[in-house]
Amino acid sequence: MSSTIPRMPPQEAAQANRLAGSTSPYLLQHAHNPVDWWPWCEEALARAREQDRPILLSIGYSACHWCHVMAHESFEDAATAELMSRLFVNIKVDREERPDLDRIYQLAHQLLTQRSGGWPLTVFLTPDDHKPFFAGTYFPRKPRHGLPSFAQVLTGVESAYREQRDAIRAQNASLMDALQQLEPASGDAVPDAEPIDRACAQLADSFDAQHGGFGSAPKFPHPTSLELLMRRPEADVGDAGRSPVEMATFTLEHMIRGGLMDQLGGGFCRYSVDAQWMIPHFEKMLYDNGPLLGLCCDAYCATESAVFRDAALATADWVMREMQGPEGGYFSTLDADSEGHEGRFYVWDRDQVKVLLSPAEYAPFAAVYGLDRPPNFEGRWHLHGYRTPEAVAREQGATLEQTQALLASARAALFSERERRVRPGRDDKVLVSWNALMIKGMARAARVLDRADSLESAEASLHFIRKTLWRDGRLLATYRDGRAHLSAYLDDYADLMDALIELLQVRWSSADLSFAIQLAEVLLDDFHDAEHGGFWLTGRSHEPLIHRPKPLTDDSMPAGNGVAAQALQRLGHLIGEPRYLDAAAGTLKLAAASMRHMPYAHAAMLIALDEHIEPVETIVIRAADDRLATWQLELQKGYRPRRLVFGIPSSETALPGTLGAMTAGERPRIYRCRGTSCEPPVDSPAALLQA
């Protein structure tokens, strides 16, 4: 069912609108607009229906720069607000809390405008059936850049609704047909590796050999695509002149050295506005940083380069310092803006830096980060690694160790000074799927970098989810200020199951395995299309909407169907559950035509396909002494994306499925399985490797 109207605090009722009781910081940003805002709820939809007024649906998120601009120009303007309130029922939605609404109406925007969407998303809906008949993104207060003013849009759309209803109904019918045609039809067979090869070839064709990344500006990190490339070190070099794994590590290193990464505080920004990864859109999203943290750990395993290790450490430190609440959950985003200006928190004046640093520190710092060059951001400097510490050390006649020490002390001094500034706003709601992505990244850091605090951080988030957002055998999607609500989505279940499998490889917990199995069962019961294959974004008990998508392609996050297929295959092989394997295979069949049509857009799904074609190697160690941990670390060395290693103490009994037969004997035992085929146990890692 739809959510109900949040209550307004009594002391703010006179000046606040209906958004004042929301759990969404984005909606709370609009709680004092003069607009007669509603949250998405049955009361608002009924009001539109009863009054025969179109719905103005505005979708955004708290860290969105252009959302802030439109709010200041239009939603805070009394005249515009009066027009909105008189002509429409106005509904404000946080796309992070309601990815179902966002996905449906972003697709509708693309069909109506033949352009990609974005935020703020502005959609006008018919009041009786909530179908969109006009859509756009940002509209200015006054006409400019070829865009009409928002007031012109409001009056024009309302007139069209009154005068052209038959045409709107006909357009809506065509739109619904088009939405349905976008959904995949079931396939007959799981494809071979050809879509994986073509995806790598497509990425190679668009690879920027000078700066890394794919295509031109703006450049996004796309960690799932980089993960796909990382998994193919044996592939042909191709026209790009680099192997897939080299393209991935080259791109990641340039992101790390450049302005996309916060050189002082750690963590990655959302995307780069230029091809050089120099000037980012300064917001920091949890869902980017979780996968990028894991990818840095993988790149370190593959290359042993300190660049990737240091980036992973800095990112993990930033998350624990700034993005984890006292209850354990991870917060969602940091805003791009502070004091009304994008990037103000991060940029520097050169004279200020000279005052803060000693001459010995300033010389290498300026050479590495570009303070010896013209300013690169609105007359100031955003730190970007123009040169490597190695090159600067050679030029300045110092050892690399000396240069690195001076750079570290300089960064520490600037970081300390930056802490005095007005901070960007933080969206402190807790989302299950985003937390799961970070739990996985933190677990990877704990395993690869031997970081006990990363493990503690991941476990704290998991404990918070189980205590607060797991109720009566189902997940809730979001939490803030003591209130958890909204039925969870496909990504919440799939990403959390995937994170648990990663966490189990750091330390064994039968309770976590049981939780992963419970999540898998809900996926099959509530989200799975047993007839045609794949998983819907929303469960069977979810509020009915105009469309129920099955997301197959990655966007800013890996596709829920791809992660579900990966996790179900891994869990199905671990415990020997054929239902999980069948559901994963059915998902790959459903996605077959879509993967062939646009391979590069299906990285998460292609990783699942890769592990279907060549099932992962699952190693289970059963021991009662310290050999359990020692052997597990030995067998986890290096970059081995197709190997899972679980160290299960001999004392653990009543394990589910095939795990129950993997018992310890008088001496420790190691079991190895590939897919559904298992070998006889051996009693040492050497024997395993020899076999």
Side-chain angles (χ1 to χ4, degrees):
M1 295 296 294
S2 299
S3 58
T4 58
I5 303 174
R7 295 181 180 179
M8 292 181 286
Q11 68 273 20
E12 296 183 4
Q15 61 267 40
N17 57 44
R18 298 177 188 86
L19 304 182
S22 173
T23 59
S24 160
Y26 173 64
L27 268 58
L28 291 173
Q29 288 173 356
H30 297 269
H32 293 269
N33 291 166
V35 179
D36 186 19
W37 284 120
W38 292 77
W40 181 276
C41 60
E42 185 54 45
E43 290 86 341
L45 302 178
R47 184 183 182 92
R49 194 164 51 243
E50 292 162 2
Q51 298 184 355
D52 190 28
R53 281 197 285 164
I55 294 168
L56 192 169
L57 178 64
S58 177
I59 302 178
Y61 60 102
S62 67
C64 167
H65 173 71
W66 286 103
C67 298
H68 299 330
V69 173
M70 190 167 178
H72 178 67
E73 291 181 344
S74 295
F75 304 150
E76 296 173 7
D77 176 65
T80 305
E82 189 279 330
L83 193 62
M84 292 171 64
S85 302
R86 176 161 48 87
L87 299 181
F88 302 95
V89 171
N90 302 280
I91 296 180
K92 177 63 74 173
V93 165
D94 183 340
R95 65 107 172 174
E96 297 167 355
E97 285 194 340
R98 295 299 304 260
D100 52 342
L101 293 171
D102 184 56
R103 184 173 186 88
I104 290 168
Y105 291 110
Q106 289 284 357
L107 287 172
H109 173 276
Q110 292 179 32
L111 292 170
L112 287 170
T113 67
Q114 298 300 301
R115 296 192 301 272
S116 60
W119 301 279
L121 181 66
T122 307
V123 191
F124 296 87
L125 317 180
T126 48
D128 55 341
D129 56 12
H130 318 143
K131 293 174 183 175
F133 64 94
F134 185 85
T137 52
Y138 162 79
F139 290 105
R141 184 179 175 187
K142 296 180 180 179
R144 66 172 182 268
H145 306 309
L147 292 172
S149 73
F150 190 44
Q152 289 173 325
V153 171
L154 295 173
T155 55
V157 167
E158 201 274 339
S159 295
Y161 175 71
R162 300 294 170 199
E163 300 167 6
Q164 303 176 39
R165 295 203 183 196
D166 290 343
I168 287 173
R169 297 296 181 195
Q171 175 185 278
N172 283 355
S174 298
L175 177 72
M176 295 308 297
D177 288 341
L179 278 174
Q180 192 57 44
Q181 291 171 14
L182 288 176
E183 291 305 303
S186 55
D188 296 328
V190 176
D192 59 17
E194 187 261 351
I196 304 175
D197 296 333
R198 283 186 55 217
C200 292
Q202 288 175 329
L203 290 168
D205 287 343
S206 63
F207 178 66
D208 182 343
Q210 183 177 1
H211 303 292
F214 306 94
S216 56
K219 281 186 176 175
F220 291 80
H222 295 303
T224 314
S225 296
L226 297 181
E227 181 186 356
L228 177 67
L229 293 172
M230 283 282 297
R231 295 167 64 93
R232 296 181 67 75
E234 75 287 351
D236 292 336
V237 171
D239 296 337
R242 290 182 172 91
S243 69
V245 69
E246 289 171 336
M247 286 189 285
T249 54
F250 183 85
T251 295
L252 185 59
E253 181 170 352
H254 278 68
M255 288 194 292
I256 290 168
R257 293 193 185 278
L260 191 76
M261 186 170 182
D262 180 354
Q263 298 296 327
L264 302 182
F268 292 85
C269 296
R270 180 69 194 97
Y271 65 85
S272 173
V273 302
D274 55 74
Q276 294 80 28
W277 304 106
M278 183 187 299
I279 303 301
H281 187 39
F282 286 90
E283 65 198 40
K284 289 182 181 179
M285 318 296 288
L286 191 71
Y287 66 70
D288 286 321
N289 281 278
L292 286 169
L293 171 57
L295 196 65
C296 286
C297 293
D298 290 344
Y300 175 60
C301 289
T303 66
E304 298 184 354
S305 170
V307 168
F308 303 118
R309 179 201 63 208
D310 293 346
L313 292 171
T315 300
D317 286 342
W318 164 70
V319 171
M320 291 184 284
R321 184 179 66 246
E322 298 187 30
M323 300 300 287
Q324 189 160 29
E327 297 176 281
Y330 296 118
F331 300 140
S332 294
T333 65
L334 289 185
D335 206 329
D337 298 9
S338 58
E339 300 181 87
H341 295 276
E342 183 175 6
R344 173 167 286 189
F345 182 75
Y346 299 98
V347 298
W348 294 90
D349 292 318
R350 182 159 53 192
D351 291 342
Q352 182 188 20
V353 175
K354 286 182 176 180
V355 170
L356 292 168
L357 303 184
S358 69
E361 291 171 326
Y362 182 81
F365 189 87
V368 169
Y369 294 114
L371 275 75
D372 58 350
R373 300 167 184 250
N376 60 4
F377 186 76
E378 299 177 356
R380 305 179 78 189
W381 280 262
H382 175 57
L383 303 182
H384 170 78
Y386 292 87
R387 308 183 65 193
T388 66
E390 291 83 355
V392 170
R394 287 194 300 270
E395 180 184 279
Q396 297 185 355
T399 66
L400 178 59
E401 290 74 16
Q402 290 170 332
T403 299
Q404 288 176 327
L406 289 169
L407 290 172
S409 63
R411 287 193 298 265
L414 295 186
F415 176 80
S416 178
E417 177 65 23
R418 198 179 74 176
E419 288 291 278
R420 303 171 185 269
R421 296 179 178 178
V422 176
R423 290 182 171 277
R426 182 173 62 192
D427 188 319
D428 58 353
K429 67 177 177 290
V430 176
L431 300 170
V432 170
S433 58
W434 297 20
N435 270 247
L437 293 173
M438 185 53 71
I439 290 170
K440 183 178 180 180
M442 284 290 192
R444 189 79 56 85
R447 175 162 61 86
V448 171
L449 305 175
D450 193 23
R451 285 285 299 258
D453 54 352
S454 295
L455 175 59
E456 292 171 2
S457 173
E459 289 184 317
S461 173
L462 177 61
H463 176 73
F464 176 80
I465 290 170
R466 295 202 65 171
K467 179 183 70 173
T468 309
L469 291 144
W470 177 249
R471 296 185 183 174
D472 302 321
R474 292 293 188 272
L475 284 170
L476 297 173
T478 183
Y479 169 92
R480 184 176 182 271
D481 280 352
R483 182 182 171 204
H485 69 128
L486 299 176
S487 296
Y489 307 95
L490 167 62
D491 292 36
D492 298 305
Y493 287 93
D495 290 339
L496 188 54
M497 183 168 53
D498 188 44
L500 285 165
I501 294 170
E502 183 67 36
L503 200 51
L504 286 168
Q505 295 180 78
V506 185
R507 85 294 175 267
W508 182 259
S509 165
S510 291
D512 285 355
L513 176 62
S514 176
F515 190 27
I517 293 170
Q518 289 177 281
L519 295 172
E521 293 297 329
V522 177
L523 275 178
L524 294 186
D525 290 344
D526 211 25
F527 293 83
H528 185 224
D529 184 346
E531 181 179 359
H532 301 105
F535 296 87
W536 284 291
L537 177 61
T538 55
R540 286 180 172 82
S541 58
H542 193 81
E543 167 195 1
L545 301 171
I546 65 169
H547 184 57
R548 194 181 183 199
K550 290 180 184 174
L552 300 177
T553 57
D554 305 321
D555 44 36
S556 55
M557 292 170 58
N561 269 280
V563 178
Q566 291 176 44
L568 285 169
Q569 284 178 155
R570 292 182 164 206
L571 187 60
H573 286 310
L574 178 62
I575 66 171
E577 178 49 76
R579 292 182 301 124
Y580 299 170
L581 302 177
D582 291 344
T587 304
L588 292 170
K589 290 177 184 178
L590 176 76
S594 186
M595 286 191 285
R596 292 190 184 102
H597 174 66
M598 197 184 299
Y600 72 91
H602 294 77
M605 193 66 67
L606 293 176
I607 292 171
L609 175 61
D610 186 44
E611 294 191 356
H612 177 88
I613 295 169
E614 184 182 342
V616 294
E617 175 188 30
T618 303
I619 297 174
V620 174
I621 308 167
R622 300 301 309 269
D625 53 28
D626 58 5
R627 283 176 289 186
L628 184 72
T630 302
W631 290 1
Q632 186 174 15
L633 288 174
E634 183 175 348
L635 292 170
Q636 287 174 333
K637 286 180 180 177
Y639 176 58
R640 301 180 182 276
R642 293 184 178 87
R643 173 182 286 182
L644 309 181
V645 183
F646 302 94
I648 306 179
S650 300
S651 58
E652 292 283 351
T653 58
L655 295 172
T658 52
L659 276 179
M662 297 181 182
T663 58
E666 294 181 2
R667 299 183 61 189
R669 287 178 176 172
I670 304 175
Y671 297 82
R672 175 166 59 185
C673 301
R674 286 189 176 90
T676 57
S677 175
C678 295
E679 302 169 358
V682 296
D683 59 7
S684 72
L688 183 80
L689 297 175
Q690 185 177 7

